[in-house]
Amino acid sequence: SSTMNTYLFVYDLMQFCGHSWIFTNMIIRFLSFGKDSLADTFYSIGLVMRLCQLFSVLEILHILAGIDKTRLFPRFLQITERIIVLFVVINSQEEVQGKYVVCVLFFLWNLLDVIRYTYNMLARTGIYYLPLTWLNFSLCILLYPLSVLAKAFAICVSLPYFESLGTYSVKLPFPFAFSIYFPYVLKVYLLVLFIGMYFIIQNLFSERKAHLATGNVKKKQS
């Protein structure tokens, strides 16, 4: 309906503004302060980044409600990956927040999202600009594996801190006599991360094929 389409447009617009602010801020800070800006990326833009990622959970609800026709499983994987790495790994370990990998992750995420939400906003209004369509569905295939490597590196960097501080590791009392050692959980999640990458890349290729074909048809019709 037009109401739902307007709602989705406003959602995409809000996300576009948030990610554009982060992306522009990162570039300006790097041009102004050079490498010194990389170490405090999380402190300068972490709050807005966390808000944008929390709002992205709505996209899962959009798919479940049927107002967004995107496939659920790949989008669910992408969103949960970011939530886990950002909130569980980076946000909980102050020592990790100053690592350069955080800057790399934020750069990749926001570059992809600025393009994606721009494409989505135009698509909501019936505008399909073929170069933007190509960029949206091609760049993600190149950058998503790089972001997975950056996520994995961030997890590996965080492991010594989780081991020494015992963050999220719990020992259940009697009669369970069972303990959860969180570094082991993260190591298992690393495997899940790379398995999930296979399914997501498959989906990205299928989306690219479908949308570029649709874009070519619309261009010929116009």
Side-chain angles (χ1 to χ4, degrees):
S1 66
S2 60
T3 303
M4 288 297 99
N5 199 54
T6 302
Y7 161 74
L8 291 174
F9 178 86
V10 172
Y11 168 80
D12 291 330
L13 177 61
M14 291 176 62
Q15 287 283 35
F16 170 79
C17 291
H19 288 289
S20 295
W21 182 89
I22 296 171
F23 191 69
T24 304
N25 189 288
M26 289 182 67
I27 292 177
I28 292 175
R29 285 175 55 80
F30 181 76
L31 294 176
S32 301
F33 306 108
K35 291 184 178 180
D36 293 338
S37 67
L38 304 182
D40 65 346
T41 296
F42 185 84
Y43 305 103
S44 60
I45 61 177
L47 176 60
V48 181
M49 191 71 203
R50 280 173 283 180
L51 288 174
C52 287
Q53 296 310 314
L54 282 176
F55 275 120
S56 71
V57 176
L58 289 173
E59 295 178 28
I60 298 175
L61 301 179
H62 296 162
I63 298 172
L64 291 174
I67 61 176
D68 189 338
K69 303 304 179 183
T70 306
R71 292 179 61 189
L72 175 62
F73 183 63
R75 193 70 195 122
F76 174 80
L77 284 178
Q78 288 177 293
I79 292 172
T80 53
E81 284 173 7
R82 292 192 183 188
I83 294 292
I84 291 172
V85 172
L86 179 58
F87 287 92
V88 178
V89 176
I90 298 174
N91 191 62
S92 67
Q93 300 297 336
E94 189 173 351
E95 292 82 358
V96 178
Q97 295 168 9
K99 304 294 184 182
Y100 287 172
V101 67
V102 174
C103 182
V104 173
L105 261 179
F106 283 11
F107 180 83
L108 292 173
W109 287 353
N110 286 283
L111 175 58
L112 288 171
D113 284 341
V114 167
I115 296 171
R116 184 165 70 90
Y117 288 114
T118 302
Y119 171 83
N120 286 347
M121 283 192 298
L122 292 176
R124 306 291 181 203
T125 60
I127 299 174
Y128 294 91
Y129 187 48
L130 192 56
L132 179 61
T133 303
W134 183 90
L135 186 63
N136 180 55
F137 291 100
S138 301
L139 191 63
C140 57
I141 295 174
L142 174 64
L143 296 187
Y144 177 72
L146 294 179
S147 73
V148 170
L149 291 176
K151 293 171 197 171
F153 186 74
I155 292 174
C156 291
V157 167
S158 72
L159 286 175
Y161 303 107
F162 281 105
E163 291 169 355
S164 61
L165 299 175
T167 310
Y168 301 133
S169 294
V170 294
K171 187 173 183 179
L172 300 178
F174 184 83
F176 300 102
F178 180 78
S179 58
I180 299 175
Y181 188 54
F182 196 69
Y184 289 162
V185 176
L186 286 179
K187 289 176 183 177
V188 172
Y189 184 68
L190 280 173
L191 179 61
V192 174
L193 198 62
F194 284 100
I195 293 174
M197 181 176 70
Y198 170 77
F199 292 103
I200 291 173
I201 289 179
Q202 267 194 330
N203 182 68
L204 291 175
F205 271 107
S206 63
E207 281 188 339
R208 181 180 186 274
K209 182 178 180 181
H211 284 82
L212 289 182
T214 302
N216 282 321
V217 169
K218 291 181 180 294
K219 184 177 179 181
K220 289 178 181 178
Q221 289 176 345
S222 61

